[in-house]
Amino acid sequence: KQEVTQIPAALSVPEGENLVLNCSFTDSAIYNLQWFRQDPGKGLTSLLLIQSSQREQTSGRLNASLDKSSGRSTLYIAASQPGDSATYLCAVTPGTASKLTFGTGTRLQVTL
Amino acid sequence: EAGVAQSPRYKIIEKRQSVAFWCNPISGHATLYWYQQILGQGPKLLIQFQNNGVVDDSQLPKDRFSAERLKGVDSTLKIQPAKLEDSAVYLCASSEGTQGTNEKLFFGSGTQLSVL
């Protein structure tokens, strides 16, 4: 059974810092990995999707990397802003099904 | 482009009562998902529809949960009777095609259910 773990569970950083969120998964036979953002009381917004054949994806100040062999992914946020405050979830798609398995998320707070 | 619409936004019921949630996916999206997100946890897939057929309902507690997607568009999720442990946010999501594996999912804002 695929398990997805995210560390840390919560993180507080001052504005302007670069930061890294971590995601690990137990079964490396994945089809893809996605990073989502969830604001309080709202649904999830897809940020980046990395195919299993890819090593990384970039969108603006966000960069996600994937190392299938070690079962790890990182989300790098450059020059953090208060508007980045949210919960960030990673999810993996098993190789033979489209059912996403989510981690429990990292709650990020960027302070002024 | 209109997003995924869900209603109601909040619902409070007593245990053993029934409740229903409604979802309208993005127009033209073939695949629709219902997720349950318990506080402090990641979302868990309850059921996935492709058009109006069920693709995966392996984690749906079928003794009390039911879902339908008539005409391959809107969907309803019902709980009857509700238990305290059903308190959660119920998220609906949709994706454009039928090859959901590599597609981006679009989520609604969810229905927050409290069972007292």
Side-chain angles (χ1 to χ4, degrees):
Chain A
K1 178 186 173 184
Q2 178 74 269
E3 292 185 3
V4 181
T5 304
Q6 292 186 245
I7 295 173
L11 179 65
S12 180
V13 301
E15 182 180 13
E17 271 203 9
N18 303 324
L19 60 101
V20 174
L21 306 181
N22 297 293
C23 172
S24 61
F25 46 94
T26 54
D27 187 346
S28 63
I30 65 169
Y31 214 80
N32 62 40
L33 182 144
Q34 296 187 59
W35 282 93
F36 292 86
R37 168 182 173 141
Q38 186 172 32
D39 292 281
K42 296 189 177 181
L44 283 69
T45 300
S46 180
L47 297 173
L48 292 164
L49 185 154
I50 311 176
Q51 309 284 4
S52 62
S53 58
Q54 298 174 321
R55 297 283 294 180
E56 65 179 336
Q57 280 288 328
T58 298
S59 176
R61 295 183 293 108
L62 305 179
N63 176 275
S65 68
L66 174 63
D67 184 343
K68 272 184 56 177
S69 60
S70 67
R72 293 180 182 176
S73 174
T74 61
L75 179 65
Y76 175 83
I77 302 177
S80 59
Q81 302 171 358
D84 295 330
S85 297
T87 296
Y88 291 81
L89 297 119
C90 71
V92 298
T93 301
T96 58
S98 59
K99 181 164 61 182
L100 286 173
T101 300
F102 283 85
T104 53
T106 294
R107 190 171 65 254
L108 171 66
Q109 183 176 9
V110 181
T111 58
L112 293 170
Chain B
E1 176 182 86
V4 177
Q6 289 189 247
S7 67
R9 189 75 180 85
Y10 304 93
K11 191 72 177 179
I12 300 174
I13 62 172
E14 295 186 349
K15 60 182 179 183
R16 290 188 290 274
Q17 285 187 325
S18 300
V19 64
F21 313 127
W22 173 82
C23 173
N24 180 230
I26 292 174
S27 178
H29 278 199
T31 305
L32 185 147
Y33 314 77
W34 282 102
Y35 284 84
Q36 179 193 58
Q37 186 176 22
I38 294 172
L39 186 64
Q41 299 182 17
K44 180 184 81 172
L45 179 70
L46 293 176
I47 189 166
Q48 177 183 341
F49 291 96
Q50 188 168 293
N51 296 311
N52 61 347
V54 175
V55 174
D56 186 341
D57 64 356
S58 57
Q59 299 190 102
L60 185 74
K62 297 180 184 64
D63 58 335
R64 297 183 301 106
F65 285 65
S66 65
E68 60 181 7
R69 190 185 184 198
L70 298 177
K71 301 180 181 178
V73 182
D74 293 5
S75 177
T76 55
L77 176 69
K78 296 179 181 178
I79 307 175
Q80 179 180 6
K83 293 185 175 181
L84 296 177
E85 58 262 36
D86 298 332
S87 295
V89 176
Y90 290 85
L91 295 164
C92 179
S94 68
S95 62
E96 185 174 1
T98 56
Q99 299 299 318
T101 310
N102 272 324
E103 292 197 324
K104 180 182 280 193
L105 268 64
F106 296 84
F107 282 82
S109 297
T111 295
Q112 185 171 327
L113 173 67
S114 297
V115 182
L116 307 178

